[in-house]
Amino acid sequence: MTERKKFWILKCPRCQIHQIVDSRNKSKTCSQCSRRFDILDLPILAHAKDAREARAIVAELKMPRTAASEPKVI
Ligand SMILES: [Zn+2]
C-alpha cells in the first residue's frame, strides 16, 4: 500500500508562522495574518500523512532547539 504524504508544513512568508496545508491545494491563507500565498512558491519544511502528524511536526518545529539534539523515538 502506497502512502502519500498529504499534508505539508510551510511557513507564512509574512509572519513566519508554521502552516499546515493540504497538498492538493495551490494556495493558502495564513491563519495568523490572513496573508494569502502560493504553496508552490515556498519551501516545504516537512511532509505529513495526516493532520495529526502535521500538528506533531509543527509542535516540534516550534520547540526550542533543546529537543533537536535528543535521539528521537517515534
Ligand atoms: Zn502569516
Side-chain angles (χ1 to χ4, degrees):
M1 174 174 138
T2 51
E3 201 175 7
R4 283 210 196 143
K5 299 287 190 179
K6 284 168 60 185
F7 290 85
W8 293 344
I9 289 93
L10 311 169
K11 260 186 184 180
C12 170
R14 186 197 264 173
C15 68
Q16 303 294 305
I17 293 285
H18 290 98
Q19 304 288 317
I20 298 166
V21 301
D22 190 316
S23 61
R24 290 169 299 185
N25 293 340
K26 289 192 181 118
S27 64
K28 159 93 179 162
T29 302
C30 176
S31 54
Q32 190 75 16
C33 68
S34 299
R35 156 94 186 230
R36 192 184 157 98
F37 52 86
D38 287 338
I39 289 168
L40 298 175
D41 282 351
L42 297 172
I44 297 161
L45 302 177
H47 300 84
K49 66 179 188 305
D50 56 33
R52 198 170 139 227
E53 186 184 351
R55 279 197 297 272
I57 292 168
V58 168
E60 208 171 277
L61 289 170
K62 279 182 186 166
M63 246 186 254
R65 33 194 182 124
T66 48
S69 55
E70 304 274 330
K72 201 162 42 174
V73 181
I74 297 174

